Amino acid sequence: MSLFQRLWQRIRNPRGYIGRDLEGNRYFEVPNPNDAWGRPKRIVKYREGFDMWTYIAGERRLPVQWTSWLTHTRIYPPSLEELAADLERQKRVQLRAAMIEARDQEEMAQITASTSMAMASMHANAPTSVTGYHPSPTSQNGGK
């Protein structure tokens, strides 16, 4: 392909910058002549110093809104305001989960303490000698 043809193709079909996420990853949409439905190809360019393996094998994840846009599940790309609101929602959920976890641990500690106290009181009241104990014939036959 000649230089003129490449320039003309870039003018006719530019790489379309769509947006970015809060971490600095950029998202693009380009025409895809190979797609049977005529859908454009959607691409993510990871922020400087990161690559796809950071997100596939690492602890980082792309925002679910952008992931759904990349896979054509979502028609319109998310806005920065939507991403920020979702990040705040995630922080609230994590805080509430931590509060519930702390409450559950406290309840478990109380249950453990009351169980151990009950066991100690049962052992304190138990007879130390069983000499002279003779079961009655009715207790062996189930009361018959």
Side-chain angles (χ1 to χ4, degrees):
M1 187 182 289
S2 72
L3 177 64
F4 178 74
Q5 287 175 328
R6 282 186 282 170
L7 285 173
W8 179 249
Q9 188 168 4
R10 288 235 175 167
I11 291 170
R12 260 189 38 212
N13 300 320
R15 290 187 138 227
Y17 172 76
I18 300 299
R20 67 177 182 86
D21 62 18
L22 298 174
E23 290 188 0
N25 299 316
R26 296 173 296 148
Y27 299 86
F28 297 89
E29 192 172 59
V30 295
N32 187 2
N34 298 331
D35 190 82
W37 296 292
R39 296 183 308 183
K41 186 174 184 177
R42 294 177 173 175
I43 304 166
V44 60
K45 298 270 183 177
Y46 299 101
R47 75 179 191 183
E48 194 68 33
F50 290 85
D51 62 357
M52 117 177 128
W53 295 111
T54 305
Y55 290 89
I56 292 175
E59 295 179 4
R60 295 186 177 274
R61 296 284 178 253
L62 290 175
V64 69
Q65 296 89 346
W66 278 112
T67 303
S68 62
W69 180 82
L70 285 168
T71 59
H72 295 276
T73 304
R74 180 185 177 127
I75 297 172
Y76 302 106
S79 65
L80 288 175
E81 292 81 19
E82 180 183 356
L83 294 171
D86 188 55
L87 188 62
E88 289 299 317
R89 182 196 61 80
Q90 290 175 13
K91 288 179 183 177
R92 284 192 312 269
V93 167
Q94 287 177 344
L95 177 66
R96 289 178 184 156
M99 289 169 50
I100 290 170
E101 182 70 28
R103 184 188 69 204
D104 288 349
Q105 287 179 354
E106 182 180 313
E107 287 177 3
M108 187 57 90
Q110 288 176 352
I111 290 170
T112 304
S114 65
T115 303
S116 64
M117 286 174 41
M119 294 296 279
S121 92
M122 284 176 50
H123 288 296
N125 296 334
T128 56
S129 170
V130 288
T131 59
Y133 172 73
H134 300 289
S136 67
T138 57
S139 66
Q140 291 177 352
N141 297 338
K144 293 183 181 179

